[in-house]
Amino acid sequence: MRSDRGNLTSRLVAAGSAVLLGLAGAAIAADPASASGHHPTPGSAGLGDRLYPLLGNGGYDVQNYDLSVFYPKKDPAQQVRGNVTITAVATQSLSRFDLDFGGDGVGKVTVNGRPAAFSRSGDELIITPQRPLDNHRRFTVTVSGFTATPISPNANSPAGFVTTPDGTIMAGQPDQSHQLFPSNDHPRDLATYTITMTAPVGWTATANGQPIRTTQRGGYVTSTYREFHPMAAELIQLAVGDFVTVNRAPVNGIPIRDVVPRRLADKLLPEAADERNEVAWMESKVGRYPFERYGSLVIDGDLGFALETQTLSLYDTTWFSLPTVILNPVLTHELAHQWFGDSVAPWVWSDVWQNEGHATWYEVLYAYETGTLKEYAGVTTLDDYYKRAYANGDRWRARYGPVAYPLRSDSIWDVFNPNVYDGGALALFALRQKIGVRDFERLERAWVAKYRGRSASTQDFIALASRVSGQDLRSFLNDWLYGSKTPPMPGHPDWTTTAVSSSAVAPALHR
Ligand SMILES: [Zn+2]
């Protein structure tokens, strides 16, 4: 397919909302009739994402989460309970609205301080305030005494609110963070966060962003973090357990801290040390790091993936058992996501190639520029790397769908498929061939600057690429991103793809 219709439609609507609200971005699509009228109607149960239809909620735009979670014992498998106060702006007149929540229970809900009726349906927490909420008006909703129990990660449910031998952590991408807390769990709705964790003395608690305060009382330690930069719910991190937090020397003024299991600190901390070089390298490529701090969280286990939780990337010990020539490009991949995917969030999940294509691009480029591409990928030049990816292009498209249009979302790996990783990076290589290295590098910097702290779509990327290069790239990039066949590679007319009939597709490396 050539165009993502759901994407285009929702952008038109949201552009209207953004003008009405005077917001910089992150406005939520609402039904145009109800958005413009005064008659209160229910907010939609989802944002209409083609791949995750019920993810997110219509009718409001969250500004801030104030989340607190209580961990009663030193038990990674225990149920936790929490409170969240969400400050939001209505984007339509609301008779009722939903939050995403898949946890165990809900104690009480208030809207603007008054008790509100609620019910649950699947992962929807449906809230009916005593009085309808006016369009454009700010409101607060507090969910008190919600409970949630972490899962033990396995092949069927690798992610979410998960246990480790040392405590619990979050791996919410793309649709699991609301298993812990009520939220608008779609990356189109970014918000700031205050995260407060209370756990028994002896356990430590780390979350995204800046540490604000720690207090101790009655055998419990309460730690508060503030993420001042807009963040998608999927990127939240609460690492609570027998972990140790270690600060490293800042890089260009950016504080670096790592969080690892206390009993494994001596082994794991040296292996993460190169992240400081990688931060400097990424800043040399695309400009200033977008957040307050950076670092790595390493857990003991085998999740099967690494994850770019905002300001604190998540890895497991399986990654850290690999040689540094393998680990370092993966560290660079998650670091690159802080710009591509976190700071600039996808508008819909079909745009996930923007996250993964760019992160793969810098992962491979880092290996190349540090002279380790041969050990990392078995080839010596970028041309060789992308020539091999090109050969897979038609098979990937046949199996998973076009780069910017994953066909299925039955499994997370249908969406996070090889054609958004290496296929996305291959499309960027093609674009670089087409517009030249200089304009490509200007585009990359312009993209993360223009859309910093916002969600952006594939069409936004195509428009910016056209503007920066002075070329109309719509046809070229639509073919690369939405075509069912791999287009010819500029400058390499001899590159060929392997026939689709072959069933062998390279195994995915999830990062
Ligand atoms: Zn990634």
Side-chain angles (χ1 to χ4, degrees):
M1 294 178 77
R2 294 278 297 267
S3 91
D4 184 350
R5 197 175 55 191
N7 182 0
L8 293 173
T9 310
S10 53
R11 282 204 63 70
L12 289 173
V13 174
S17 304
V19 170
L20 285 170
L21 292 167
L23 295 174
I28 292 310
D31 175 68
S34 54
S36 57
H38 298 292
H39 180 63
T41 51
S44 61
L47 281 176
D49 193 298
R50 182 177 60 84
L51 295 168
Y52 299 99
L54 289 178
L55 211 52
N57 305 284
Y60 64 93
D61 176 18
V62 178
Q63 313 290 302
N64 185 68
Y65 292 84
D66 191 339
L67 170 67
S68 57
V69 181
F70 177 62
Y71 299 73
K73 298 175 287 185
K74 291 182 183 175
D75 174 9
Q78 70 190 323
Q79 186 185 63
V80 300
R81 69 172 187 271
N83 305 317
V84 64
T85 294
I86 295 171
T87 306
V89 173
T91 56
Q92 71 180 66
S93 240
L94 284 166
S95 58
R96 64 164 213 243
F97 61 93
D98 287 12
L99 296 174
D100 299 317
F101 183 55
D104 300 335
V106 173
K108 181 181 156 194
V109 178
T110 62
V111 175
N112 293 329
R114 299 163 187 267
F118 65 89
S119 63
R120 299 184 70 184
S121 173
D123 279 3
E124 300 297 320
L125 173 60
I126 303 159
I127 297 169
T128 307
Q130 289 183 15
R131 296 177 185 169
L133 301 170
D134 290 343
N135 192 12
H136 307 163
R137 294 290 282 274
R138 184 175 291 252
F139 66 96
T140 60
V141 50
T142 298
V143 182
S144 311
F146 67 81
T147 51
T149 305
I151 60 163
S152 176
N154 59 64
N156 293 328
S157 298
F161 175 38
V162 300
T163 64
T164 78
D166 305 283
T168 55
I169 57 98
M170 290 299 294
Q173 190 176 75
D175 62 344
Q176 297 296 317
S177 284
H178 66 270
Q179 300 301 330
L180 173 64
F181 73 108
S183 50
N184 194 11
D185 194 4
H186 191 285
R188 199 182 305 166
D189 193 356
L190 310 186
T192 53
Y193 281 75
T194 297
I195 302 170
T196 300
M197 299 149 289
T198 299
V201 170
W203 269 22
T204 66
T206 309
N208 316 82
Q210 199 95 289
I212 299 296
R213 78 183 76 87
T214 302
T215 58
Q216 187 170 329
R217 198 177 122 187
Y220 286 90
V221 176
T222 297
S223 308
T224 300
Y225 280 73
R226 177 74 181 159
E227 178 49 280
F228 292 93
H229 297 280
M231 178 168 79
E234 57 133 357
L235 299 171
I236 198 168
Q237 184 56 266
L238 291 79
V240 180
D242 192 11
F243 297 109
V244 60
T245 299
V246 178
N247 293 303
R248 296 184 189 274
V251 178
N252 301 337
I254 304 151
I256 307 288
R257 53 82 174 80
D258 297 324
V259 181
V260 296
R262 189 178 306 277
R263 63 195 167 80
L264 300 177
D266 289 348
K267 179 190 179 305
L268 295 175
L269 287 170
E271 294 178 55
D274 281 342
E275 69 194 344
R276 295 185 64 262
N277 303 326
E278 293 150 13
V279 170
W281 183 84
M282 270 306 294
E283 285 204 326
S284 78
K285 295 297 174 192
V286 296
R288 192 92 182 107
Y289 178 74
F291 303 124
E292 304 89 338
R293 53 186 49 220
Y294 189 62
S296 301
L297 164 63
V298 190
I299 61 165
D300 188 13
D302 182 9
L303 289 171
F305 58 87
L307 185 62
E308 61 272 22
T309 42
Q310 191 159 311
T311 73
L312 182 63
S313 292
L314 168 68
Y315 310 91
D316 62 33
T317 42
T318 304
W319 291 108
F320 272 63
S321 67
L322 298 169
T324 54
V325 290
I326 307 294
L327 177 63
N328 282 340
V330 174
L331 296 180
T332 305
H333 178 111
E334 304 310 330
L335 171 64
H337 273 310
Q338 303 297 318
W339 284 264
F340 299 95
D342 292 9
S343 178
V344 183
W347 184 257
V348 290
W349 276 110
S350 300
D351 300 323
V352 67
W353 78 273
Q354 293 169 188
N355 306 15
E356 301 305 343
H358 281 103
T360 303
W361 176 263
Y362 291 103
E363 165 194 329
V364 172
L365 190 62
Y366 183 82
Y368 174 68
E369 292 196 357
T370 54
T372 57
L373 187 61
K374 182 77 179 173
E375 292 97 319
Y376 187 63
V379 292
T380 48
T381 67
L382 292 179
D383 274 9
D384 288 344
Y385 186 90
Y386 288 107
K387 184 179 184 181
R388 189 175 63 188
Y390 190 92
N392 281 314
D394 281 359
R395 287 190 296 165
W396 285 337
R397 284 167 196 258
R399 179 157 169 180
Y400 300 107
V403 173
Y405 203 88
L407 292 178
R408 287 174 301 275
S409 54
D410 305 330
S411 146
I412 185 175
W413 309 130
D414 292 328
V415 177
F416 290 76
N417 70 63
N419 203 35
V420 309
Y421 285 77
D422 274 330
L426 180 66
L428 293 174
F429 181 84
L431 175 61
R432 186 169 168 265
Q433 292 286 107
K434 172 88 172 170
I435 67 177
V437 172
R438 193 173 144 272
D439 277 356
F440 179 78
E441 291 178 350
R442 285 178 54 223
L443 167 63
E444 293 288 276
R445 288 172 177 270
W447 174 250
V448 296
K450 179 179 171 76
Y451 290 105
R452 181 178 178 179
R454 292 198 276 160
S455 304
S457 73
T458 297
Q459 295 306 319
D460 291 328
F461 185 79
I462 293 172
L464 188 64
S466 296
R467 199 171 317 145
V468 168
S469 67
Q471 300 181 39
D472 183 348
L473 295 167
R474 282 174 296 183
S475 171
F476 177 81
L477 282 172
N478 277 323
D479 285 352
W480 270 97
L481 296 168
Y482 293 107
S484 57
K485 291 284 176 193
T486 313
M489 179 58 73
H492 294 291
D494 55 313
W495 286 12
T496 56
T497 61
T498 309
V500 168
S501 56
S502 168
S503 61
V505 173
L509 181 67
H510 304 297
R511 69 259 180 200

